[in-house]
C-alpha cells in the first residue's frame, strides 16, 4: 500500500496549485497525466484495489479532470481490471453523452486500444456521434497491434459499408498488415483492389512495402515480385520486403539477384537487408555466400552486426551441419547471446544428433520453454537414449511444463478454420478424419513410410504411427482437400515448425492427388508439387 498512499498524497499536493475545475480538463500537462495514470495503473496490484481506485477517481474528479479523454480511458480500464465493468460502461456512456467532439473521442479510442481494451473501444466507436477517418484508423490499427487481425479487416469493411468516410493510406497499411499476419491471400487481394479502385490512394514507400510483403507472406511470391517491379523502388524498405520475401520462400538465388540490382541502382542496404540475405542463405544451405554477406556488411557498408545477425549466422552454420562452429561463434560473440540463439543451437543439435551441445544450449536457456525440453527429449529418443528422454519428460511433468500444441489453419469461404493435433471439435470432423485415413492408406500403398523416430515414447511402431497421423497440418490439409475443387491450390498456415513426417507425407499427397499444397510454418514457406518441396528437404 505504500506506493499508492504516496501517489495519493502526490495528487493532494498537486491539487493545491492545480487549475479550477472549469478549466482543468483543457490544461492537463503530460506530467500530470503520468502521475494520475500511474495511480490508476497500480490499483490492480493492491489487495484493496477497488477502494484505492474509488479514492483515486474521487481525487481526479475533485481536480476537475473527470472528463479528460485519456484519463477517462485510464479510469475505465482500471475499473474493468478491478472487475467493475458496470462502472466502466457507465463512465463511457456518460462521457459520450457530453458530445465530446471527434478529437476527444479519438483520444479515448487510442488510449483504450493502447490498454488492450478493444471491446470498449468498439463500444465508443459504435456510440460516437461524430467520427472521421482517424477514428476508423485508430480502430483498425489498434486491432492489428492487439493481434485481432480478423476484427481489423471487419472494421475496414464496416467503414466502407456503413459510413461515407473513405479509407486512406493508413487504413490500407494496417489492413494489409492484418492480411499478412493471417496469411489470407483472398482478403489481401480485396484490400489491394480497394486501394486501386475505390480508394484512389497514391502509393508511397510504406504501401509499396506493405504490398510486396503481404503477397510474399500469403504465399504468392509471383505476385509479390510483380508488385515489386511495378512500383517505385527508391526506398530501401521496398527492397528489404522483396529480399525477405524470397528468403522465407527459400529462393536464395532470387534474393541474391535483387541484392545485386539494389547495389546497381545505388540504394544503400541497411541492417534489415543483410538479415534478409543471411536468412536466405541459411534456408538454402549457402554457407560460403552467407559468410560473404556477413563480412560485407561491416567491411563495405560499415554496418556493425547486431544480435540478430549473429543469430542468423548461428542458424546458417547449424543448419549446414557446422554445429561445433556455430557454438564457437556464440562463444566469440561481442554481445551476450539471447534465447533465440541458444534455441537455434538446440535445434541444430537435434537435427545432427549432438546431445552434448544440446545440453549446453539447455543450460544456457534461463527461461526454457516446453519446446526446448521437447527438442532435448527428441535428441535422446532419436539416439535411443530412452532413459535420458524419460528423465526430461519427468522433469517437464514435475515442473508443470506442457508441450506447446501445434496449430494450423486454412481459409475457406472467407472463414478461417483452425485445427489442433488430434482435434475433434470441427463441425465436419467426421468427413475430415474419413478422408485423412483414406489418404494415409493410399500414400502408404505408394511407398510412404512414417518417420516414427520423431515420436518420443519407447513404444511400438504401430503406436508411434498413430501418434503422427493426426498432426494439425494433416487435419487442415484433409479439410482443404475436402472443400476445394480438384487441381486448385491448398494454402495452410502453421504456428510451429513442421515435422519431417508431415513434410514427407504431404509430398506424397501432392503427387498422389496432383495438387499444389503451400504451407507456411514458423520458419518459412513450403510449396509441395508432384512429390517435391520447394525447400528441397532443407529447412
Amino acid at each position: 500500500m505504500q506506493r499508492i498512499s504516496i501517489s495519493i498524497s502526490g495528487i493532494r499536493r498537486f491539487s493545491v496549485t492545480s487549475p479550477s475545475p472549469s478549466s482543468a480538463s483543457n490544461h492537463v500537462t503530460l506530467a500530470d497525466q503520468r502521475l494520475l495514470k500511474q495511480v490508476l495503473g497500480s490499483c490492480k496490484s493492491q489487495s484493496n484495489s477497488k477502494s484505492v481506485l474509488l479514492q483515486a477517481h474521487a481525487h481526479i474528479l475533485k481536480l476537475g479532470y473527470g472528463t479528460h479523454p485519456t484519463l477517462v480511458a485510464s479510469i475505465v480500464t482500471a475499473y474493468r481490471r478491478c472487475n467493475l465493468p458496470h462502472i466502466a460502461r457507465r463512465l463511457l456512456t456518460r462521457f459520450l453523452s457530453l458530445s465530446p467532439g471527434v478529437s476527444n473521442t479519438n483520444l479515448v479510442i487510442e488510449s483504450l486500444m493502447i490498454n488492450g481494451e478493444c471491446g470498449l473501444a468498439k463500444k465508443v466507436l459504435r456510440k460516437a456521434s461524430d467520427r472521421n477517418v482517424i477514428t476508423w484508423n485508430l480502430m483498425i490499427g489498434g486491432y492489428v497491434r492487439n493481434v485481432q487481425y480478423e476484427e481489423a479487416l471487419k472494421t475496414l469493411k464496416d467503414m466502407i459499408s456503413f459510413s461515407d468516410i473513405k479509407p486512406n493510406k493508413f487504413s490500407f497499411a494496417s489492413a494489409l498488415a492484418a492480411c499478412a499476419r493471417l496469411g489470407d491471400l483472398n482478403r489481401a487481394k480485396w484490400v489491394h483492389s480497394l486501394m486501386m479502385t475505390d480508394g484512389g490512394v497514391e502509393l508511397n514507400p510504406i504501401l509499396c512495402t506493405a504490398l510486396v510483403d503481404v503477397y510474399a507472406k500469403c504465399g504468392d511470391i509471383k505476385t509479390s515480385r510483380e508488385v515489386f517491379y511495378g512500383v517505385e523502388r527508391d526506398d530501401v524498405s521496398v527492397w528489404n520486403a522483396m529480399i525477405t520475401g524470397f528468403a522465407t520462400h527459400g529462393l536464395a538465388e532470387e534474393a541474391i539477384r535483387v541484392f545485386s540490382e539494389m547495389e546497381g541502382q545505388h540504394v544503400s542496404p541497411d541492417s534489415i537487408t543483410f538479415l534478409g540475405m543471411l536468412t536466405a542463405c541459411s534456408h538454402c544451405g549457402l554457407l560460403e555466400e552467407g559468410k560473404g554477406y556477413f563480412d560485407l556488411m561491416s567491411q563495405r557498408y560499415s554496418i556493425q552486426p547486431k544480435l540478430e545477425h549473429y543469430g542468423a549466422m548461428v542458424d546458417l552454420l547449424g543448419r549446414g551441419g557446422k554445429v561445433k562452429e556455430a557454438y564457437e561463434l556464440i562463444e566469440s560473440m561481442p554481445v551476450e547471446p539471447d534465447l533465440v540463439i541458444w534455441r537455434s543451437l538446440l535445434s541444430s543439435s537435434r537435427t545432427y544428433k549432438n546431445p552434448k551441445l544440446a545440453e549446453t544450449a539447455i543450460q544456457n536457456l534461463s527461461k526454457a520453454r516446453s519446446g526446448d525440453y521437447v527438442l532435448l527429449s527428441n535428441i535422446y529418443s532419436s539416439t535411443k537414449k530412452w532413459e535420458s528422454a524419460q528423465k526430461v519428460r519427468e522433469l517437464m511433468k514435475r515442473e508443470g511444463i506442457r508441450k506447446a500444441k501445434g496449430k494450423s489453419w486454412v481459409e475457406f469461404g472467407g472463414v478461417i478454420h483452425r485445427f489442433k493435433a488430434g482435434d475433434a471439435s470441427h463441425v465436419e470432423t467426421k468427413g475430415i478424419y474419413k478422408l485423412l485415413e483414406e489418404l494415409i492408406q493410399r500414400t502408404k500403398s505408394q511407398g510412404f513410410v512414417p518417420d516414427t523416430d520423431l515420436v518420443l515414447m519407447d513404444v511400438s511402431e504401430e503406436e508411434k504411427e498413430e501418434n503422427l497421423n493426426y498432426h494439425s497440418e494433416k487435419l487442415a490439409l484433409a479439410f482443404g482437400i475436402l472443400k476445394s475443387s480438384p487441381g486448385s491450390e491448398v494454402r495452410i498456415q502453421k504456428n510451429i515448425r513442421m515435422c519431417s513426417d508431415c513434410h514427407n507425407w504431404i509430398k506424397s499427397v501432392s503427387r498422389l492427388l496432383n495438387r499444389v499444397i503451400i504451407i507456411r510454418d514458423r520458419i518459412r514457406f513450403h510449396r509441395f508439387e508432384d512429390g517435391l518441396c520447394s525447400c528441397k528437404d532443407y529447412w
Side-chain angles (χ1 to χ4, degrees), residues 3 25 37 62 143 159 163 179 197 206 242 244 249 260 271 312 324 326 388 410 417 433 454 523 534:
R3 180 157 62 95
S25 62
K37 287 182 179 180
K62 287 178 182 178
Y143 278 127
M159 178 184 184
S163 81
C179 293
T197 54
I206 293 174
M242 191 73 264
T244 302
H249 282 264
S260 298
S271 61
K324 290 183 180 179
S388 296
V410 58
H417 298 263
Y433 274 82
L454 292 170
I523 303 296
S534 58

Side-chain angles (χ1 to χ4, degrees), residues 308-369:
E308 53 264 32
H309 298 103
Y310 283 105
M313 280 301 296
V314 169
D315 192 56
L316 170 68
L317 294 167
R319 287 177 189 273
K322 307 289 185 181
V323 184
K324 290 183 180 179
E325 194 175 332
Y327 178 63
E328 290 168 0
L329 175 61
I330 294 173
E331 291 285 277
S332 66
M333 282 168 46
V335 291
E336 191 72 21
D338 64 357
L339 300 180
V340 174
I341 288 176
W342 287 116
R343 287 192 178 108
S344 178
L345 181 69
L346 179 62
S347 179
S348 57
S349 298
R350 183 261 179 270
T351 302
Y352 293 99
K353 300 181 180 179
N354 191 324
K356 185 176 180 181
L357 280 180
E359 290 168 352
T360 300
I362 280 283
Q363 289 167 6
N364 282 279
L365 284 169
S366 57
K367 295 181 180 178
R369 298 183 308 199

Side-chain angles (χ1 to χ4, degrees), residues 3 16 19 22 59 70 116 143 153 173 196 250 286 310 330 417 477:
R3 180 157 62 95
V16 175
S22 61
H59 278 287
T70 57
Y143 278 127
L153 294 171
M196 297 297 100
L286 303 180
Y310 283 105
I330 294 173
H417 298 263
L477 177 57

Side-chain angles (χ1 to χ4, degrees), residues 136-152:
W136 289 98
N137 288 349
L138 287 170
M139 289 297 302
I140 298 168
Y143 278 127
V144 172
R145 284 192 299 274
N146 284 283
V147 200
Q148 295 191 30
Y149 307 124
E150 292 181 64
E151 280 295 326

Side-chain angles (χ1 to χ4, degrees), residues 25-236:
S25 62
N26 296 320
H27 294 86
V28 187
T29 68
L30 287 175
D32 301 342
Q33 287 186 50
R34 280 195 293 268
L35 172 63
L36 297 171
K37 287 182 179 180
Q38 183 183 4
V39 175
L40 294 168
S42 60
C43 288
K44 179 65 176 175
S45 61
Q46 305 303 310
S47 57
N48 59 339
S49 57
K50 293 180 182 179
S51 61
V52 172
L53 173 56
L54 290 169
Q55 184 185 6
H57 189 188
H59 278 287
I60 288 171
L61 291 173
K62 287 178 182 178
L63 293 173
Y65 293 130
T67 58
H68 189 275
T70 57
L71 289 178
V72 167
S74 296
I75 296 167
V76 166
T77 299
Y79 276 117
R80 284 267 296 175
R81 291 175 180 173
C82 288
N83 297 316
L84 296 168
H86 57 290
I87 300 180
R89 288 193 299 269
R90 195 185 309 156
L91 283 172
L92 270 185
T93 301
R94 180 177 180 276
F95 174 79
L96 292 169
S97 71
L98 298 174
S99 300
V102 69
S103 296
N104 287 336
T105 298
N106 290 348
L107 282 172
V108 169
I109 288 176
E110 183 179 26
S111 298
L112 288 171
M113 280 298 192
I114 289 171
N115 290 327
E117 296 289 347
C118 300
L120 291 177
K122 185 176 182 179
K123 178 182 175 69
V124 174
L125 174 74
R126 197 166 55 241
K127 291 182 175 287
S129 57
D130 195 11
R131 309 168 188 161
N132 59 15
V133 69
I134 297 173
T135 315
W136 289 98
N137 288 349
L138 287 170
M139 289 297 302
I140 298 168
Y143 278 127
V144 172
R145 284 192 299 274
N146 284 283
V147 200
Q148 295 191 30
Y149 307 124
E150 292 181 64
E151 280 295 326
L153 294 171
K154 183 179 181 298
T155 303
L156 175 64
K157 190 173 182 180
D158 289 344
M159 178 184 184
I160 295 164
S161 302
F162 304 119
S163 81
D164 56 359
I165 301 169
K166 285 190 174 183
N168 63 11
K169 58 187 177 182
F170 299 106
S171 320
F172 289 123
S174 294
L176 288 171
C179 293
R181 301 300 188 279
L182 286 171
D184 193 328
L185 181 60
N186 289 330
R187 282 194 274 193
K189 290 179 178 178
W190 170 67
V191 174
H192 190 185
S193 175
L194 282 175
M195 286 173 54
M196 297 297 100
T197 54
D198 301 335
V201 174
E202 183 179 351
L203 292 179
N204 60 11
I206 293 174
L207 285 178
C208 291
T209 301
L211 281 171
V212 173
D213 181 64
V214 73
Y215 281 111
K217 285 181 177 173
C218 290
D220 191 348
I221 195 66
K222 180 181 177 182
T223 301
S224 179
R225 184 194 289 112
E226 289 172 356
V227 170
F228 174 73
Y229 284 110
V231 300
E232 292 291 330
R233 298 186 296 280
D234 298 332
D235 195 280
V236 65

Side-chain angles (χ1 to χ4, degrees), residues 233-251:
R233 298 186 296 280
D234 298 332
D235 195 280
V236 65
S237 63
V238 183
W239 294 87
N240 289 346
M242 191 73 264
I243 288 171
T244 302
F246 283 136
T248 55
H249 282 264
L251 300 171

